[in-house]
């Protein structure tokens, strides 16, 4: 006997059976019951959340002879069975737009849609999956018939990327009723998998089903497919070990061991830790995904104190101990470092993911040498405590931090107090008051640096752009000179310093290093002591 995949076998046959998408299914069911069905629909959402399924149920409801009064199809009649199974039907046609995307395919569809349904009381429903793959010319060919469709003809466009339709065929969007499908929550997926296991006369632990739900990433179809794989291996018993074996996941105990290495500063063992993962056949990409999820769970435990739903029940207390050993700010920075690999795509593009992961873990191991800027400045005898709740323009972000090449605390409170530069103090007062500054110029000047050289001349270094262009006007410079002179108690002249930036093309080229330098200059302008601290302690800025 041939086996029917669980993803097909347990596909919903009625609107009420569609998980999580009640905002879509209830609306369509009432539209069918009240004879208010639109002529064109756009179903948007991630893969595996029910877009094509709902389109089929809609087609079933429109053509079901035994449809209930509330708009639900019976799901059992010959018409419903053929549509639900995706078999050939005169009135319901499914088209893969990825392989039928050209203008000739669209013209053929347009001609077929002009013919009436096979019976007077039926509807013709055209379901186009991956609709974003249609070319601009194909959309143009369909535009007229979508705008003025023949009687009893319905178009349903399903897509995971509606933004591409917006770019190639924006007039289509205004002619369709749009429904956005949501990712299915892990709780709903686990509940559905439990029902399937009961029907299949199989058993499974909640931990195992939770792992499958997390791996499915909000897609019920993916969850059922993964469950099918695990059942094939485990012969009717789904447990966490069999799930991890099939999916190639790293056990939670490995992450506990990793955080022990970090907490105990056993940095040299990081290399052997990665070696063991590779020797035992683990995929480093899967390890990285699990690392990010574990860091998030640790942060959740540290900040909320409650249970973390993505962790095994028997290991929550062990993870809580590791979470309590880290400061929340350290966990945030570690999570940001880990997420950077994903946002930049470095791990996927690199031919040496091992090196990237080892470097990431080594950076984690030095997280204890990271302190916040405000803490550093206070230790150097600079800025006093700021009132809580302040969050205005010019404030140093509380998440900004620097990394020390020496252990935090070896220098600091014992150092001599340093006086602030009077020119910088005067500059800050001018910007804070805003009095006498031309409209809109203050925001550009916040990123500028000032120095007095030679005496009596204030050099303003500002990046190229509208701010520098406005400072080229002598009247603007005179106004700034008057304001600075009033604060300093003496007459000064203001000049614009280009800093020897070279050609205009070079000045406008934005690089990661240039952004970092601009960020440091901005921080220096706000806290004069910081520049000396960075130079003397050889600090590195961490965002």
């Amino acid at each position: 006997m041939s086996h029917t995949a669980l993803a097909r076998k347990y596909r919903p046959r009625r609107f009420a059976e569609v998980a999580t998408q009640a905002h879509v299914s209830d609306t369509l069911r009432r539209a069918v019951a009240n004879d208010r069905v639109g002529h064109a629909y756009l179903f948007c959402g991630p893969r595996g959340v029910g877009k094509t399924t709902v389109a089929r149920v809609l087609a079933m409801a429109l053509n079901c002879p035994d449809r209930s009064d509330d708009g639900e199809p019976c799901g059992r009649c010959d018409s419903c069975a053929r549509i639900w199974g995706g078999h050939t039907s005169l009135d319901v046609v499914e088209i893969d737009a990825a392989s039928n995307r050209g203008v000739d395919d669209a013209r053929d569809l347009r001609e077929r849609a002009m013919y009436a349904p096979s019976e007077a009381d039926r509807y013709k429903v055209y379901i186009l999956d991956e609709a974003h793959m249609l070319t601009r010319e194909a959309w143009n060919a369909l535009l007229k018939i979508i705008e003025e469709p023949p009687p009893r003809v319905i178009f349903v466009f399903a897509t995971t990327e509606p933004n591409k339709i917006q770019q190639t065929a924006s007039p289509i969007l205004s002619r369709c009723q749009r429904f956005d499908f949501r990712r299915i929550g892990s709780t709903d997926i686990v509940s559905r998998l439990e029902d399937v296991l009961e029907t299949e006369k199989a058993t499974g632990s909640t931990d195992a089903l939770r792992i499958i739900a997390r791996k499915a990433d909000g897609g019920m179809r993916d969850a059922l497919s993964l469950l099918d794989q695990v059942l094939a291996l485990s012969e009717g018993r789904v447990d966490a070990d069999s799930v991890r074996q099939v999916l190639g996941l790293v056990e939670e105990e490995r992450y506990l061991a990793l955080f022990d290495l970090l907490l105990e500063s056993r940095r040299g063992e990081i290399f052997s830790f990665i070696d063991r993962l590779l020797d035992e056949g683990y995929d480093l990409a899967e390890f990285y995904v699990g690392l990010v999820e574990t860091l998030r769970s640790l942060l959740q435990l540290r900040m909320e104190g409650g249970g973390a739903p993505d962790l095994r029940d028997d290991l929550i207390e062990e993870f809580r101990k590791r979470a309590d050993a880290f400061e929340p700010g350290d966990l945030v920075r570690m999570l940001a470092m880990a997420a950077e690999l994903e946002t930049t795509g470095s791990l996927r593009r690199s031919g040496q993911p091992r090196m990237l992961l080892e470097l990431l873990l080594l950076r984690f191991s030095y997280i204890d040498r990271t302190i916040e800027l405000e803490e550093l400045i206070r230790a150097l005898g600079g800025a006093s405590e700021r009132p809580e709740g302040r969050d205005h323009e010019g404030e140093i972000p509380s998440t900004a931090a620097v990394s020390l090449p020496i252990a935090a605390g070896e220098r600091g409170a014992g150092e001599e107090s340093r006086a602030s530069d009077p020119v910088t103090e005067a500059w800050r007062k001018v910007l804070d008051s805003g009095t006498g500054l031309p409209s809109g110029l203050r925001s550009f000047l916040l990123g500028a640096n000032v120095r007095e050289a030679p005496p009596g001349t204030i050099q303003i270094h500002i990046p190229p752009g509208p701010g520098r262009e406005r400072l080229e006007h002598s009247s603007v410079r005179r106004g700034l000179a008057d304001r600075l002179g009033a604060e300093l108690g003496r007459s000064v002249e203001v000049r614009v310093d280009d800093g020897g930036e070279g050609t205009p093309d070079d000045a406008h080229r934005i690089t990661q290093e240039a952004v970092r330098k601009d960020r440091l200059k901005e921080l220096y302008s706000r806290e004069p002591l910081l520049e000396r601290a960075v130079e003397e302690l050889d600090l590195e800025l961490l965002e």
Side-chain angles (χ1 to χ4, degrees):
M1 295 177 63
S2 61
H3 171 70
T4 302
L6 296 182
R8 293 183 55 204
K9 185 176 181 180
Y10 292 96
R11 174 176 254 171
R13 295 173 181 261
R14 305 170 71 247
F15 287 118
E17 297 174 1
V18 181
T20 305
Q21 316 300 343
H23 64 294
V24 179
S25 54
D26 287 351
T27 302
L28 294 176
R29 179 175 53 78
R30 291 192 180 100
V32 172
N34 299 324
D35 197 23
R36 296 183 61 87
V37 178
H39 65 277
Y41 292 97
L42 179 64
F43 291 171
C44 311
R47 63 187 184 90
V49 296
K51 299 185 297 297
T52 305
T53 294
V54 171
R56 287 186 183 181
V57 174
L58 174 61
M60 290 162 60
L62 289 171
N63 293 303
C64 179
D66 300 322
R67 183 178 69 212
S68 64
D69 293 338
D70 63 352
E72 286 280 17
C74 72
R76 297 181 300 273
C77 66
D78 183 65
S79 174
C80 288
R82 295 186 68 83
I83 296 171
W84 180 82
H87 302 305
T88 303
S89 172
L90 291 175
D91 297 324
V92 179
V93 180
E94 289 191 35
I95 300 173
D96 177 19
S99 54
N100 299 275
R101 59 193 302 265
V103 64
D104 291 336
D105 300 304
R107 287 170 179 163
D108 179 61
L109 172 60
R110 183 180 62 189
E111 293 174 3
R112 292 163 59 186
M114 297 303 295
Y115 293 99
S118 59
E119 298 179 20
D121 60 343
R122 292 179 64 86
Y123 282 83
K124 297 193 73 170
V125 182
Y126 292 94
I127 303 172
L128 279 79
D129 203 8
E130 304 295 336
H132 59 273
M133 296 296 291
L134 290 176
T135 64
R136 187 186 301 273
E137 293 75 18
W139 281 118
N140 288 337
L142 291 175
L143 182 59
K144 185 64 176 177
I145 195 170
I146 294 175
E147 187 174 27
E148 298 178 4
R152 307 181 78 82
V153 173
I154 310 294
F155 291 94
V156 180
F157 303 101
T159 179
T160 56
E161 302 183 56
N163 57 304
K164 289 188 176 180
I165 298 179
Q166 173 70 48
Q167 295 168 1
T168 58
S170 56
I172 293 292
L173 300 181
S174 62
R175 292 162 171 81
C176 298
Q177 294 186 30
R178 174 170 173 167
F179 289 95
D180 289 286
F181 286 63
R182 303 165 182 160
R183 292 186 184 275
I184 303 172
S186 294
T187 302
D188 290 336
I189 292 179
V190 169
S191 177
R192 179 59 171 165
L193 296 183
E194 288 174 342
D195 293 340
V196 169
L197 286 177
E198 183 178 355
T199 305
E200 293 289 312
K201 294 181 173 55
T203 58
S205 67
T206 302
D207 283 338
L209 298 183
R210 189 181 295 142
I211 295 172
I212 293 176
R214 191 163 65 243
K215 182 66 176 178
D217 193 25
M220 186 66 77
R221 183 181 65 217
D222 288 354
L224 289 169
S225 297
L226 292 173
L227 180 62
D228 221 350
Q229 287 180 256
V230 176
L231 284 173
L233 171 71
S234 60
E235 298 181 353
R237 169 64 188 173
V238 179
D239 55 35
D241 289 337
S242 59
V243 171
R244 292 190 187 94
Q245 184 178 350
V246 169
L247 302 183
L249 303 180
V250 181
E251 301 91 345
E252 284 92 337
E253 289 84 354
R254 299 293 181 122
Y255 297 107
L256 287 173
L258 170 63
F259 286 108
D260 285 341
L261 292 181
L262 300 178
L263 287 170
E264 297 167 12
S265 298
R266 290 184 281 152
R267 301 181 178 92
E269 296 182 33
I270 288 176
F271 301 99
S272 58
F273 177 85
I274 297 295
D275 284 340
R276 286 194 299 272
L277 289 178
L278 292 173
D279 290 343
E280 295 173 22
Y282 289 104
D283 182 10
L284 291 184
E286 284 293 342
F287 167 77
Y288 164 77
V289 172
L291 176 62
V292 174
E293 292 176 351
T294 305
L295 280 170
R296 178 187 176 276
S297 297
L298 287 178
L299 185 60
Q300 183 179 353
L301 285 171
R302 187 67 173 84
M303 300 186 72
E304 294 182 359
D310 289 339
L311 296 174
R312 278 167 43 192
D313 294 338
D314 60 321
L315 291 178
I316 284 182
E317 289 306 316
E318 290 297 320
F319 277 103
R320 193 187 309 279
K321 293 177 184 177
R322 274 67 171 186
D324 291 341
F326 288 99
E327 291 297 324
D330 290 338
L331 290 173
V332 169
R333 281 186 279 275
M334 291 164 70
L335 188 57
M337 292 177 194
E340 184 181 355
L341 284 180
E342 178 67 23
T343 55
T344 61
S346 302
L347 193 64
R348 293 191 301 272
R349 293 196 308 266
S350 175
Q352 296 180 316
R354 170 179 177 167
M355 182 186 68
L356 292 177
L357 282 174
E358 289 174 344
L359 179 60
L360 176 66
L361 298 183
L362 286 171
R363 292 178 69 190
F364 285 179
S365 71
Y366 285 96
I367 204 73
D368 62 335
R369 299 189 176 189
T370 299
I371 60 175
E372 292 187 1
L373 288 176
E374 292 183 0
E375 180 184 344
L376 172 66
I377 293 167
R378 287 195 300 269
L380 294 173
S384 61
E385 295 279 356
R386 289 186 172 86
E388 292 186 4
R390 290 185 62 184
D391 185 17
H392 57 77
E393 190 174 24
E395 192 76 47
I396 293 181
S398 61
T399 56
V402 292
S403 180
L404 296 172
I406 56 175
E410 290 182 12
R411 293 199 195 180
E415 297 237 344
E416 64 181 66
S417 176
R418 294 179 176 93
S420 299
D421 178 14
V423 172
T424 303
E425 288 294 328
W427 176 254
R428 181 187 301 172
K429 291 179 181 178
V430 170
L431 295 185
D432 287 345
S433 68
T435 306
L437 295 180
S439 176
L441 184 59
R442 180 177 179 274
S443 60
F444 294 104
L445 295 180
L446 287 172
N449 292 314
V450 296
R451 61 187 178 92
E452 186 173 15
T457 300
I458 306 298
Q459 301 280 354
I460 300 179
H461 176 72
I462 185 172
R468 180 186 288 185
E469 292 174 3
R470 296 186 69 178
L471 283 178
E472 297 294 340
H473 295 283
S474 58
S475 59
V476 175
R477 294 199 304 276
R478 281 197 301 269
L480 274 175
D482 293 341
R483 290 287 291 112
L484 286 170
E487 294 292 342
L488 292 168
R490 54 191 171 88
S491 177
V492 295
E493 179 185 0
V494 170
R495 293 182 181 176
V496 180
D497 177 20
D498 62 10
E501 291 175 331
T503 64
D505 288 340
D506 291 336
H508 285 82
R509 184 176 294 116
I510 299 177
T511 64
Q512 186 174 1
E513 181 65 18
V515 171
R516 190 188 68 83
K517 289 182 178 179
D518 286 343
R519 174 68 169 143
L520 277 173
K521 289 178 181 177
E522 179 184 354
L523 293 172
Y524 294 161
S525 69
R526 297 175 184 176
E527 293 292 347
L529 289 173
L530 182 61
E531 184 171 9
R532 293 188 62 184
V534 169
E535 292 176 354
E536 294 186 16
L537 301 180
D538 190 23
L539 306 181
E540 176 187 359
L541 179 68
L542 296 178
E543 291 294 347

